[in-house]
Amino acid sequence: GDSVTQMEGPVTLSEEAFLTINCTYTATGYPSLFWYVQYPGEGLQLLLKATKADDKGSNKGFEATYRKETTSFHLEKGSVQVSDSAVYFCALASGTYKYIFGTGTRLKVLA
Amino acid sequence: NAGVTQTPKFRVLKTGQSMTLLCAQDMNHEYMYWYRQDPGMGLRLIHYSVGEGTTAKGEVPDGYNVSRLKKQNFLLGLESAAPSQTSVYFCASTEGSYGYTFGSGTRLTVV
C-alpha cells in the first residue's frame, strides 16, 4: 500500500541555518503531495502542496519539489527562525479522499 | 472564520465512562475524518466518512463509533473509555485531493 517515510527528529538548528527535512513516498500513480505544520498545542495546518511531477510548492519561505524519479518531496528553507519551531508532517493523497501521513519531524530552532 | 470546529477542547474521563466528541465544518466538504495522535506514532486514522450517512473504519477503529447524520457534523463516540484511549483527537475534512483542513484538537485523558 501507499506509504510516507520522513526523517527521524528532532532536528535542532541555529537561527538563520538552512533546513532540509527529507520525505520519500511509495504510491501507485502520481499522488498529490503535501507538507503540514503543527505548532505546539494546535492542529495541523497545510504548509504547501504539489500536485504533479516537477511542481514546486512554496509558502512562508518553505519550498518542496515533487521528484518523481526519486519519489521524494523534501522540505527546505534557506534561513530558519525561532518561530519555525514546530512538527512537520509529509503526506500524500492516496486516492480521492484518503491521505497518508508520515510520523512527523520535530524542528527546534535556537536563537 | 470558516473551518473545522471541535468540541470539547479538553476532557478527563474515568475508565468505563462514555463521551462524544463533536466535529463541525462549514465548508460543505464531503469527506470527514477522525485521527488520534500519540507521541512517536504520528497520526492514526480511526474512522472516516465519504458523505452524509456513510462511515468506514480506519486503521485503529476498535473502541470507537462514529455517526454522520448531517453533512456538516461528524461525531466520535467512546462507549466505555479505557486508559489506552488517552490521546489527542483531531478531526479533518476535505473536498478531495486539495488537502485537509484540521480542527484544533481534543485532548482526552482517561484515568
Side-chain angles (χ1 to χ4, degrees):
Chain A
D2 296 353
S3 66
V4 172
T5 302
Q6 52 182 118
M7 61 188 291
E8 292 277 338
V11 174
T12 302
L13 296 173
S14 298
E15 207 165 25
E16 299 183 3
F18 185 86
L19 168 70
T20 300
I21 300 178
N22 291 338
C23 172
T24 58
Y25 67 91
T26 303
T28 53
Y30 304 105
S32 295
L33 301 174
F34 306 84
W35 276 101
Y36 284 82
V37 59
Q38 183 180 31
Y39 298 104
E42 298 183 11
L44 282 72
Q45 303 172 26
L46 180 63
L47 181 59
L48 55 83
K49 65 181 180 185
T51 58
K52 60 183 187 295
D54 299 325
D55 264 3
K56 178 184 284 187
S58 61
N59 186 26
K60 300 180 181 180
F62 291 90
E63 293 182 341
T65 301
Y66 191 141
R67 301 286 189 198
K68 184 180 67 173
E69 61 277 10
T70 55
T71 61
S72 64
F73 193 54
H74 304 322
L75 182 68
E76 297 181 335
K77 187 175 186 183
S79 177
V80 294
Q81 305 301 311
V82 172
S83 57
D84 294 326
S85 297
V87 181
Y88 292 83
F89 291 89
C90 184
L92 66 82
S94 178
T96 302
Y97 53 80
K98 194 179 288 187
Y99 289 66
I100 307 296
F101 287 84
T103 53
T105 302
R106 183 175 300 277
L107 170 66
K108 185 174 183 179
V109 180
L110 304 176
Chain B
N1 289 339
V4 176
T5 302
Q6 291 184 233
T7 53
K9 294 191 183 304
F10 303 93
R11 185 74 185 268
V12 178
L13 283 181
K14 293 183 179 179
T15 298
Q17 286 185 319
S18 64
M19 78 165 293
T20 300
L21 282 67
L22 172 63
C23 176
Q25 53 97 0
D26 59 4
M27 298 168 287
N28 203 35
H29 286 170
E30 286 291 337
Y31 312 115
M32 297 186 73
Y33 311 81
W34 277 106
Y35 286 87
R36 60 179 289 173
Q37 184 178 33
D38 302 294
M41 302 196 70
L43 292 168
R44 292 186 291 169
L45 181 63
I46 304 171
H47 286 281
Y48 63 99
S49 169
V50 300
E52 181 178 312
T54 75
T55 62
K57 294 179 180 180
E59 60 179 302
V60 288
D62 293 343
Y64 304 95
N65 57 76
V66 288
S67 65
R68 182 108 182 260
L69 298 180
K70 294 183 178 180
K71 187 176 183 178
Q72 64 266 34
N73 295 337
F74 195 29
L75 278 62
L76 178 70
L78 286 73
E79 291 184 347
S80 180
S84 61
Q85 294 177 304
T86 293
S87 187
V88 181
Y89 292 85
F90 287 102
C91 178
S93 71
T94 186
E95 192 50 44
S97 301
Y98 308 114
Y100 281 177
T101 300
F102 281 88
S104 57
T106 295
R107 186 173 297 274
L108 174 67
T109 302
V110 182
V111 298

